[in-house]
């Protein structure tokens, strides 16, 4: 086996679970569909149309309920999100929304 295949296998293993299967990002981003969801961090209503970030934290080793955050309240885990494309739903955003997410991802890394 060549060294390049073993290094790519190691990289794939770091992005997967114990079964070796790749795991989707726990984060998702989308414009809020209604004004009924509340931010888990600040407890304020997330206005309809504003960007929100969803996360399913682990509960007893399994994904729990989907919780929402304002984009500005979100602190992305750098182990989970290395680039904007790692966030589910990013590709469906318009250009200005993508810029907002990109800026937040950069500032979020400074907050960790």
């Amino acid at each position: 086996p060549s060294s390049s295949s073993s290094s790519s296998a190691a990289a794939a293993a770091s992005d997967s679970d114990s079964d070796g299967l790749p795991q989707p990002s726990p984060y998702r981003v989308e414009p809020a569909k209604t004004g009924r969801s509340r931010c888990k961090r600040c407890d304020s209503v997330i206005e309809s149309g504003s960007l929100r970030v969803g996360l399913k934290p682990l509960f007893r080793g399994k994904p729990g309920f989907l919780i929402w955050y304002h984009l500005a309240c979100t602190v992305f885990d750098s182990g989970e999100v290395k680039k904007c494309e790692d966030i589910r739903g990013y590709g469906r955003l318009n250009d200005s929304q993508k810029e907002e997410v990109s800026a937040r991802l950069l500032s979020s890394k400074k907050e960790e």
Side-chain angles (χ1 to χ4, degrees):
S2 70
S3 62
S4 64
S5 65
S6 63
S7 64
S8 63
S14 68
D15 292 337
S16 61
D17 67 4
S18 59
D19 296 332
L21 300 172
Q23 296 298 302
S25 172
Y27 295 96
R28 71 172 54 175
V29 64
E30 66 181 34
K33 296 173 184 152
T34 67
R36 295 181 300 165
S37 56
R38 286 197 169 269
C39 177
K40 184 70 172 175
R41 186 170 183 191
C42 71
D43 202 36
S44 302
V45 171
I46 302 172
E47 297 296 325
S48 178
S50 66
L51 286 178
R52 65 182 182 176
V53 177
L55 177 65
K56 280 190 176 183
L58 292 179
F59 178 74
R60 297 183 180 171
K62 297 180 182 177
F65 292 103
L66 182 64
I67 56 175
W68 295 106
Y69 296 92
H70 291 106
L71 179 61
C73 292
T74 304
V75 177
F76 291 101
D77 180 349
S78 60
E80 298 281 347
V81 180
K82 295 182 179 23
K83 59 187 186 304
C84 292
E85 290 78 10
D86 292 339
I87 304 168
R88 290 187 294 167
Y90 178 78
R92 291 188 290 270
L93 302 177
N94 64 39
D95 290 341
S96 66
Q97 291 170 329
K98 286 181 180 181
E99 287 176 22
E100 285 181 60
V101 172
S102 178
R104 182 61 196 148
L105 181 58
L106 289 174
S107 63
S108 174
K109 288 181 180 180
K110 296 175 186 173
E111 292 178 25
E112 277 193 304

